[in-house]
Amino acid sequence: MTSPTRPSLDDPALAIPVDRAGVFEPIPMARTERQQEFYSLRDGEMLINLGPQHPSTHGVLRIVLKISGEQVVDLDPVIGYLHRGVEKLCENADYHQAICYTDPLEYLASLFCEWSPVMAFEKLLDVQVPRRAEYIRVLAGELNRVASHTLYVGFFALDLGGITPVLWSYLERDEIVEILAALTGAKLLFNYFRIGGVNGDLNHEFMSRLGDWMSHASRQVEAGTALLNENEILVRRARGIGTLDRDTAMRMAVTGPNLRASGVPWDIRRAHPYSVYPELEFDVPTRSEGDCLARYLLRVDEIKQSLRIIDQCLHQMPDGPIMAKLPRLVRPRPGRAWAAIEGPRGLYGTYAISDGTDQPFRMRIHDPSFVHLQLLSLLVPGNLIADTMAINASLDPVMGGVDR
Amino acid sequence: MTAVTRRPTLPARALLAGVLLLLVGGLVITLAAVLLLPPLVDFLAANTPLVRFAVAALVLLLITIPVAFIVIYMELKVIARMNLRVGPDRVGPFGAAQSVVHGLKVLAKEDFTPFGVDVAVYTLAPVAVFLTTLMTILVVPFAPGLYGQDFNIGLLYVFAIGGLNVVGLMMAGWGSFNKYSLLGALRAAAQAISYEIPLALAVVGVIILAGTMSLNSIVEQQAGTVFDWNLWRQPLGLVIFFIAAIAEANRTPLDMTEADQELVAGFATEYSGMRFGFFFFAEYVNVFVVSCLVTVLFFGGWNAPFDWPFPVAIDLDPAGYEAWLAFLLVAGPIVGTVALAALLRFFVDWMRWPGALLIAFLLVNLLAVGALVGLAFVTFDWVVGLTWMMVKSFAFVFTFVWLRATLPRVRVDQLMGVAWKWLLPAALVNIFVTAAAVVLVWG
């Protein structure tokens, strides 16, 4: 039922005229002051479409750049090309089924996308997760974090024009993916966490593969990043570019490595501890520069911390069940729950409302990539076109998470 | 019931057409030969330089094809190895025919002209780019006596034609009706202007030392051992020339014009099919030409790095062998094949006669070809020279590929900064020091 009196956004009468000179350029309808300002071109300026099919937009992001020569004057990120309605899908599935819809949100860190809804549902149901299950979750999650960060290192270099590091970082990721496949049965979309525990216990193949990998993991990371850390071209292109200061970072609700690279030591694993992180020893690395290089180096530091956590998990792994006792069909009492975790890109949060049925009444997902994408309009203008890719890569947005 | 018409089948029709074509064509060619050949031969005999030029141009045009294929194969395979990949390995031994298949694929693609392009400019751009590259090879001395043309202004010619390259890129960028292409083309123009200067100034030292701009003379003056090469007399010039050459050949880390992470494919964004193929052909041939220039100017060209005993004069007199020569040529291969096959048959367990004969036949032929090549190598100086020239040039092609696999791309302002702030002053210092040394030490 739509009311006929409600104004439509596509009504041409509502369009604000745009002052444009180009004959061939299709003139979009401007509906806001901002759009009118952006799509009006001054002398010597030109609009250029970056994406959705572009080699370095990390998926199907479209950025309309307003450039003057090589310099970016302004930009307009256009999102929504990967919208699948995940939140709505989750509201039409029961609690167990909803988990698998959240998996492909961020395909580089699927376990973290499962983790926060699972935690929210556990809060709704008031379930105590067995300690062994929590340890397995942390173990698998940190493995996934290393996989995501190593890929970040490679793609950051790729967007700066180096073609080799990305394939070297796949070396690491392939091993981790095999390890996780031994544990979860899948390589990309794991669907491993369950409400009240995890899907399967540690097995022999997982342990042997993990042992193999752990014996050379830190050396491999060192070797891979040593090629980049001391590369003059990479350092010169990343240092001082896209500097995000502390106050702006906090004002823009930046989380995760991007925030810590700006000097704020805020890590949800320490700030609002969940799971078994209070029992584990690890540092929260921070850097004060806030530029692309700092964001890159911070991720390298985080890989090392993750390796520490994995090591501790293996040593402290308790015996016991891996699932809490739960009925097959769960009907939580009416209520609301918010659960946030620290993912490789920042805060992954889920807000779920239960109305007492077996399906979530409302489910909302907070994804860090969406928040970080907003930084582009702050950081990029004034830099060159090439820096757009550097900044975009250093912020590490995954479009699956942005568009949901 | 429909009447059965007897039409020739497809192979029959093809055969018929072929026979007709041969008949008519043969007649026409014979007539033309009878009528035109004598005056033509007279004309050619009267204009030997013209004939030499025509043959050289044809050979150079044809030489680009294998050269580009080898460079593309190196690019695929070397970068793959550095990326921990296997690279192409399906077509031919170790995937060696991959670039041939690439070429055929590009030929078979649709010749597509997008909407809004300036058709004339868009169509001529790949031709312009390819022609300029081709024209540069003309003066490269591959071996003693093996060159397209020897100008006394050879080096100047190289830079002049190399500068024309950017016209083709600008045409592509302007004619494509695409903003990425336009940006790429403008970058190409800026980059060419910036890097032509250090490139040209870097070799002024070599010109001062050689006293000539003829590439042949420059190579001849470096004859001797490795210590006679310009490399030792012009180290700074070599470094500047090499860096500027990377930019000139549009290779990573200085390939601003087609920075794929920024400008999709730069000036070539709107091109497909063989037009795109021409751009890539030109790029890879350009890499080879630039490598050749580095070799010629600084690494002694065709000269061997040490006192190489070849070529030697072998005094062969085939007529002196009389009947034995005929016997060697006719019976030698057969006897050799059978003897080798017999050896294989009786000493290799799983070998049977047909297989043994086949393998022996191939081995004997290989042996014969190898012996001929070896004979040519030790006898003719241009074979020796060509070998050294190619070894050195492809070492530099390898370096270009290696750089591409290793380094990220510099930013466009950094690129300009390097050219104007570092390379240009360094090149000027190099000229000054060289001139001073020539005047004070040798003068």
Side-chain angles (χ1 to χ4, degrees):
Chain A
M1 287 284 283
T2 52
S3 119
T5 53
R6 184 199 287 172
S8 160
L9 275 179
D10 294 327
D11 187 358
L14 288 175
I16 308 173
V18 171
D19 175 27
R20 287 276 289 284
V23 180
F24 284 105
E25 299 187 352
I27 301 170
M29 276 198 302
R31 297 190 196 90
T32 59
E33 298 277 311
R34 159 81 183 137
Q35 267 180 326
Q36 187 193 21
E37 185 226 318
F38 181 79
Y39 284 103
S40 303
L41 294 179
R42 275 192 292 279
D43 196 26
E45 288 179 346
M46 165 165 102
L47 290 177
I48 188 163
N49 248 324
L50 217 76
Q53 276 88 37
H54 188 276
S56 54
T57 48
H58 290 235
V60 281
L61 169 64
R62 175 178 159 219
I63 308 174
V64 185
L65 289 178
K66 193 201 264 184
I67 53 174
S68 168
E70 283 273 340
Q71 202 170 34
V72 178
V73 180
D74 203 349
L75 64 84
D76 181 20
V78 183
I79 60 171
Y81 289 94
L82 205 55
H83 180 63
R84 291 146 294 174
V86 170
E87 289 159 336
K88 199 70 197 166
L89 284 170
C90 290
E91 287 162 14
N92 288 295
D94 75 33
Y95 283 96
H96 293 299
Q97 290 167 344
I99 301 165
C100 80
Y101 285 124
T102 61
D103 240 354
L105 276 178
E106 279 201 357
Y107 24 79
L108 300 183
S110 299
L111 280 178
F112 293 94
C113 298
E114 299 169 14
W115 204 340
S116 74
V118 163
M119 263 173 68
F121 298 159
E122 280 160 1
K123 280 183 184 172
L124 280 177
L125 288 159
D126 204 10
V127 187
Q128 184 67 40
V129 182
R131 269 171 55 77
R132 186 176 171 81
E134 288 284 24
Y135 266 101
I136 294 175
R137 280 184 187 181
V138 170
L139 178 59
E142 293 302 327
L143 277 172
N144 201 346
R145 190 194 306 274
V146 176
S148 174
H149 278 351
T150 46
L151 218 55
Y152 167 91
V153 169
F155 276 107
F156 181 60
L158 182 68
D159 280 358
L160 294 179
I163 50 176
T164 301
V166 67
L167 287 134
W168 283 50
S169 66
Y170 265 106
L171 196 71
E172 191 90 2
R173 181 186 150 82
D174 278 356
E175 281 188 71
I176 298 173
V177 151
E178 290 288 341
I179 294 168
L180 285 175
L183 181 65
T184 67
K187 286 186 175 181
L188 188 70
L189 308 175
F190 305 107
N191 195 16
Y192 178 59
F193 293 175
R194 295 284 182 272
I195 302 168
V198 291
N199 189 21
D201 207 343
L202 303 183
N203 55 41
H204 179 75
E205 192 194 345
F206 171 77
M207 292 306 283
S208 86
R209 277 184 186 277
L210 184 62
D212 279 354
W213 176 69
M214 282 298 281
S215 64
H216 62 252
S218 59
R219 234 180 315 138
Q220 202 161 296
V221 170
E222 291 280 338
T225 52
L227 286 174
L228 297 174
N229 292 346
E230 288 158 29
N231 190 315
E232 189 69 17
I233 296 177
L234 184 119
V235 170
R236 287 217 178 191
R237 280 203 57 184
R239 182 178 285 153
I241 297 297
T243 310
L244 177 67
D245 63 81
R246 197 187 148 96
D247 295 333
T248 315
M250 291 204 278
R251 188 164 56 81
M252 295 297 285
V254 177
T255 50
N258 294 343
L259 179 67
R260 293 195 284 279
S262 296
V264 186
W266 192 75
D267 186 325
I268 305 167
R269 291 175 292 180
R270 281 284 183 252
H272 303 281
Y274 57 94
S275 197
V276 288
Y277 280 112
E279 300 171 21
L280 299 167
E281 247 182 60
F282 64 96
D283 300 330
V284 178
T286 54
R287 274 171 193 272
S288 53
E289 299 91 1
D291 54 3
C292 291
L293 189 66
R295 287 194 276 273
Y296 156 71
L297 290 172
L298 191 96
R299 264 133 175 138
V300 178
D301 292 343
E302 280 204 357
I303 294 175
K304 291 168 192 160
Q305 295 303 322
S306 287
L307 293 179
R308 260 178 91 189
I309 297 175
I310 293 168
D311 204 37
Q312 290 173 53
C313 280
L314 290 173
H315 282 99
Q316 300 174 16
M317 183 70 67
D319 278 339
I322 55 160
M323 274 293 281
K325 287 210 181 324
L326 271 179
R328 288 299 279 274
L329 199 64
V330 289
R331 292 177 197 276
R333 279 197 304 270
R336 352 180 128 206
W338 159 257
I341 57 149
E342 177 74 24
R345 268 159 272 278
L347 184 147
Y348 292 63
T350 301
Y351 182 60
I353 304 179
S354 160
D355 59 353
T357 62
D358 58 344
Q359 293 175 341
F361 174 64
R362 281 288 178 266
M363 189 163 145
R364 288 289 175 266
I365 296 163
H366 173 98
D367 192 278
S369 300
F370 180 72
V371 178
H372 296 162
L373 207 57
Q374 302 177 44
L375 290 172
L376 279 183
S377 349
L378 282 180
L379 301 184
V380 172
N383 288 313
L384 301 179
I385 298 177
D387 295 328
T388 314
M389 284 77 202
I391 294 168
N392 187 31
S394 79
L395 292 174
D396 197 16
V398 170
M399 292 318 290
V402 174
D403 292 338
R404 291 198 281 285
Chain B
M1 286 225 358
T2 52
V4 182
T5 51
R6 294 189 57 83
R7 301 180 60 207
T9 55
L10 189 65
R13 270 182 285 169
L15 200 69
L16 205 65
V19 167
L20 272 174
L21 211 67
L22 273 178
L23 276 176
V24 177
L27 209 64
V28 169
I29 289 170
T30 317
L31 271 175
V34 168
L35 290 176
L36 297 177
L37 211 53
L40 193 66
V41 168
D42 289 345
F43 174 76
L44 292 181
N47 296 285
T48 327
L50 200 70
V51 177
R52 194 182 185 289
F53 178 78
V55 171
L58 192 68
V59 168
L60 290 177
L61 186 64
L62 292 178
I63 218 177
T64 54
I65 299 168
V67 160
F69 282 171
I70 293 170
V71 179
I72 292 171
Y73 178 63
M74 275 177 82
E75 177 110 337
L76 292 170
K77 205 70 182 177
V78 171
I79 292 185
R81 281 294 165 194
M82 290 178 179
N83 284 352
L84 309 172
R85 292 184 284 126
V86 177
D89 68 340
R90 297 289 112 174
V91 196
F94 303 101
Q98 182 77 23
S99 35
V100 181
V101 178
H102 267 321
L104 290 176
K105 174 198 76 179
V106 166
L107 267 176
K109 280 198 167 183
E110 186 190 352
D111 189 19
F112 182 69
T113 309
F115 163 77
V117 301
D118 188 337
V119 176
V121 179
Y122 176 84
T123 314
L124 284 177
V127 181
V129 171
F130 184 67
L131 269 186
T132 50
T133 310
L134 191 67
M135 283 163 77
T136 328
I137 314 183
L138 191 67
V139 290
V140 175
F142 289 103
L146 196 66
Y147 49 82
Q149 199 60 259
D150 184 21
F151 298 146
N152 55 357
I153 51 155
L155 214 44
L156 205 60
Y157 170 84
V158 168
F159 294 130
I161 299 298
L164 275 181
N165 194 26
V166 74
V167 176
L169 301 188
M170 280 295 281
M171 283 165 73
W174 176 253
S176 286
F177 189 54
N178 181 313
K179 289 166 182 172
Y180 286 113
S181 306
L182 189 61
L183 277 173
L186 291 175
R187 280 183 175 192
Q191 183 177 330
I193 290 168
S194 306
Y195 275 86
E196 281 285 320
I197 298 167
L199 189 75
L201 290 184
V203 295
V204 171
V206 175
I207 298 171
I208 291 174
L209 286 178
T212 172
M213 280 197 189
S214 158
L215 290 172
N216 264 303
S217 312
I218 291 175
V219 174
E220 276 159 14
Q221 288 181 0
Q222 300 180 62
T225 64
V226 66
F227 298 106
D228 293 318
W229 295 354
N230 280 335
L231 156 75
W232 308 108
R233 281 174 274 179
Q234 290 286 315
L236 185 59
L238 169 64
V239 171
I240 299 166
F241 187 84
F242 193 72
I243 295 175
I246 299 169
E248 196 62 17
N250 287 330
R251 299 286 300 174
T252 319
L254 307 178
D255 62 336
M256 287 301 114
T257 51
E258 42 178 333
D260 24 332
Q261 278 80 17
E262 296 148 30
L263 303 183
V264 190
F267 60 87
T269 307
E270 288 292 338
Y271 283 89
S272 62
M274 199 51 216
R275 300 177 191 201
F276 182 75
F278 264 121
F279 277 126
F280 258 62
F281 224 73
E283 184 190 324
Y284 290 116
V285 175
N286 219 348
V287 169
F288 174 71
V289 171
V290 162
S291 307
C292 282
L293 281 180
V294 175
T295 311
V296 164
L297 293 174
F298 296 97
F299 283 85
W302 67 66
N303 294 310
F306 44 84
D307 217 359
W308 189 249
F310 304 116
V312 291
I314 294 180
D315 192 19
L316 278 181
D317 180 21
Y321 298 98
E322 292 171 359
W324 286 107
L325 182 70
F327 178 76
L328 193 74
L329 286 179
V330 175
I334 300 170
V335 173
T337 305
V338 173
L340 208 58
L343 279 178
L344 283 172
R345 170 70 184 83
F346 292 114
F347 286 99
V348 182
D349 286 346
W350 49 268
M351 198 71 83
R352 292 288 166 268
W353 272 113
L357 276 171
L358 187 68
I359 290 171
F361 177 72
L362 290 177
L363 280 177
V364 165
N365 273 299
L366 264 178
L367 215 66
V369 171
L372 277 179
V373 170
L375 195 68
F377 185 79
V378 297
T379 322
F380 297 109
D381 55 350
W382 62 269
V383 179
V384 181
L386 190 65
T387 312
W388 280 115
M389 180 74 189
M390 286 299 129
V391 166
K392 291 182 205 170
S393 298
F394 275 98
F396 285 106
V397 171
F398 176 81
T399 316
F400 279 114
V401 175
W402 183 11
L403 282 174
R404 174 157 184 224
T406 315
L407 293 176
R409 184 178 300 111
V410 303
R411 212 167 50 210
V412 67
D413 58 325
Q414 293 168 343
L415 178 90
M416 295 295 159
V418 168
W420 292 103
K421 288 182 200 158
W422 296 104
L423 295 186
L424 183 59
L428 291 174
V429 167
N430 187 44
I431 295 173
F432 181 76
V433 171
T434 312
V438 167
V439 171
L440 298 178
V441 182
W442 292 300

